[in-house]
Amino acid sequence: MTLETLRSKMEKLKLTYTAERIVELVERSVKEEEGPVEVLERVIGLEVDKREESRIATSLRLSGLPGGMQLDTFDFAFQPSVEKARIDLLATCSFIRRKENVLFLGPPGVGKTHLAVGLGNRAIELGYSVTYTTVEELIQALKKRQEIPVSKHRRQRYMKNALVIVDELGYQCLDRRETHLFFQFIAARYVKGSIILTSNRSVRDWVHIFAEDEMATTAILDRILHRVHIFAIDGRSYRLKDLEELLTGGKP
Ligand code: ADP
Ligand code: MG
């Protein structure tokens, strides 16, 4: 069999990455006097790695996750109110398998988005479908289809994905109609899929976000808090860290 026939058969099997490099791969195995098992392992290993890389790149693009926020770049020493062991546990993503929620609460700049996005990246690595949205974008998306009940928005990514990150609850107050749509969203995902929610306002104040509607607020909280991992972060703002250091001349 010539290398050309081998290449075309590999293409039929959709081993596209290694098919393109077959000459180079064969030359190398001859040069390094590799045995058949080593050759197969390298060729198949390369194809598997490349597929995995491209799966992750595609999922990341579809997720809408902002870049540059990974769990391993989070400085836990700076934010001692976040217990690393609890984040490590969430990083196994068993909370997604169990359809549990995560709530990050705290003032601006303490790392709520960073942790949520870091967990989102991790979930994609482990093969879960993830969507990142702000509350504002979510409400807009829900309004676009408001003539259909949210539970029927099955093909939308905020409904079908295993993990939905809803960032920045509390920066904007919702009116009654928006509150109702948000409730429908929470109710539709309840026990069906995980939500990571971040908010700069404490749960006690949420009624002010939700149009002073006590009943809707209770109904929303009831479902979110049923199976939840809560992080109340009360440290300093990382955004202001450099400024603080500048003002104090580096002294804490
Ligand atoms: P929040 O969402 O709580 O307002 P962010 O997560 O957006 O805060 O954090 C603000 C900026 O500071 C981001 O660029 C984030 O990556 C960074 N940041 C926050 N906390 C930490 C931390 N403990 N270690 C490293 N970077 C951090
Ligand atoms: Mg944020």
Side-chain angles (χ1 to χ4, degrees):
M1 187 156 73
T2 66
L3 279 185
E4 244 346 285
T5 359
L6 178 61
R7 191 208 303 272
S8 91
K9 286 186 178 171
M10 288 175 92
E11 273 163 4
K12 273 196 187 135
L13 285 173
K14 307 248 181 299
L15 303 171
T16 38
Y17 184 80
T18 34
E20 270 175 31
R21 282 157 192 80
I22 192 64
V23 175
E24 173 195 326
L25 289 167
V26 168
E27 277 174 4
R28 186 166 152 193
S29 63
V30 171
K31 203 163 89 200
E32 292 181 12
E33 296 176 2
E34 285 178 334
V37 174
E38 282 169 300
V39 174
L40 278 171
E41 193 185 78
R42 198 154 57 80
V43 171
I44 290 171
L46 203 60
E47 189 69 41
V48 168
D49 289 352
K50 280 290 154 186
R51 273 195 202 181
E52 185 64 1
E53 241 175 63
S54 98
R55 180 193 65 77
I56 290 178
T58 307
S59 301
L60 277 177
R61 195 160 31 77
L62 293 175
S63 72
L65 281 167
M69 291 185 245
Q70 306 286 344
L71 288 180
D72 58 14
T73 58
F74 191 82
D75 181 354
F76 286 90
F78 181 81
Q79 211 59 270
S81 65
V82 180
E83 242 181 278
K84 184 172 183 298
R86 288 184 69 205
I87 297 291
D88 286 345
L89 195 65
L90 290 181
T92 64
C93 291
S94 56
F95 77 100
I96 301 178
R97 281 191 293 284
R98 291 200 291 262
K99 329 263 189 235
E100 293 166 350
N101 301 321
V102 182
L103 189 53
F104 290 112
L105 299 168
V110 293
K112 302 181 297 297
T113 300
H114 190 130
L115 289 167
V117 170
L119 287 171
N121 281 312
R122 182 87 185 107
I124 285 179
E125 278 166 28
L126 295 183
Y128 294 99
S129 54
V130 176
T131 286
Y132 170 92
T133 174
T134 60
V135 170
E136 194 180 349
E137 290 161 350
L138 174 68
I139 295 291
Q140 266 169 22
L142 295 173
K143 275 184 178 168
K144 259 198 204 159
R145 291 175 186 76
Q146 58 188 326
E147 67 288 355
I148 312 161
V150 177
S151 59
K152 300 253 158 38
H153 296 193
R154 283 188 202 103
R155 283 167 47 204
Q156 303 307 312
R157 47 194 204 107
Y158 53 80
M159 280 305 295
K160 68 177 183 190
N161 285 359
L163 172 64
V164 176
I165 299 171
V166 182
D167 203 5
E168 301 189 344
L169 178 71
Y171 281 103
Q172 170 204 7
C173 290
L174 309 187
D175 64 24
R176 282 203 165 238
R177 191 165 54 109
E178 292 165 342
T179 296
H180 187 64
L181 284 171
F182 190 80
F183 164 70
Q184 280 191 44
F185 162 75
I186 297 291
R189 283 193 68 85
Y190 177 62
V191 210
K192 294 208 186 78
S194 292
I195 298 176
I196 299 184
L197 191 60
T198 81
S199 180
N200 60 337
R201 308 194 52 180
S202 88
V203 169
R204 237 174 292 113
D205 292 339
W206 282 16
V207 68
H208 307 311
I209 304 171
F210 296 124
E212 310 297 331
D213 185 333
E214 302 257 358
M215 198 127 87
T217 307
T218 309
I220 289 167
L221 277 173
D222 183 63
R223 282 158 185 82
I224 293 176
L225 300 183
H226 179 210
R227 297 170 167 189
V228 74
H229 305 264
I230 300 185
F231 292 80
I233 315 176
D234 60 3
R236 294 145 61 206
S237 165
Y238 199 85
R239 288 198 190 95
L240 301 179
K241 181 176 80 111
D242 293 343
L243 182 67
E244 278 176 19
E245 280 166 10
L246 200 72
L247 294 175
T248 58
K251 288 187 276 299

